[in-house]
Amino acid sequence: MSQVRELEKIGFVKVGKWYFNGKGLLSFIINKIKRKRVLYAFVIDDEVKYIGSCEERMTTFKERMKRYKYKQGAGTNERIYEKN
């Protein structure tokens, strides 16, 4: 069974995607759950690359993704940003 199928079995759903915009900058589209705190996974070619969480009590999924986009903070945010 694929890694994505395993995540789906425990309740994960696809909610968006990352892409490079026309200016070559990293951006994202979120179709669902923008304003919720969640566990999330980054998947490339059906392979799970990272699982994270909206750790702060008030951090929504959309806010968390913005930290990756703008390389805010340290640690994981920088590692994820640099891989793109």
Side-chain angles (χ1 to χ4, degrees), residues 3-51:
Q3 292 178 342
V4 172
R5 297 287 180 247
E6 290 291 329
L7 289 177
E8 289 171 345
K9 282 175 48 180
I10 59 172
F12 278 71
V13 295
K14 183 175 180 178
V15 298
K17 69 177 184 173
W18 287 94
Y19 66 96
F20 287 101
N21 66 19
K23 299 176 184 176
L25 300 173
L26 187 62
S27 196
F28 60 89
I29 297 171
I30 301 175
N31 302 320
K32 306 175 193 177
I33 67 167
K34 295 177 188 179
R35 292 181 172 82
K36 295 186 178 188
R37 292 180 62 234
V38 296
L39 292 176
Y40 57 90
F42 292 144
V43 177
I44 299 172
D45 296 329
D46 207 37
E47 183 178 338
V48 177
K49 299 293 186 176
Y50 179 78
I51 295 178

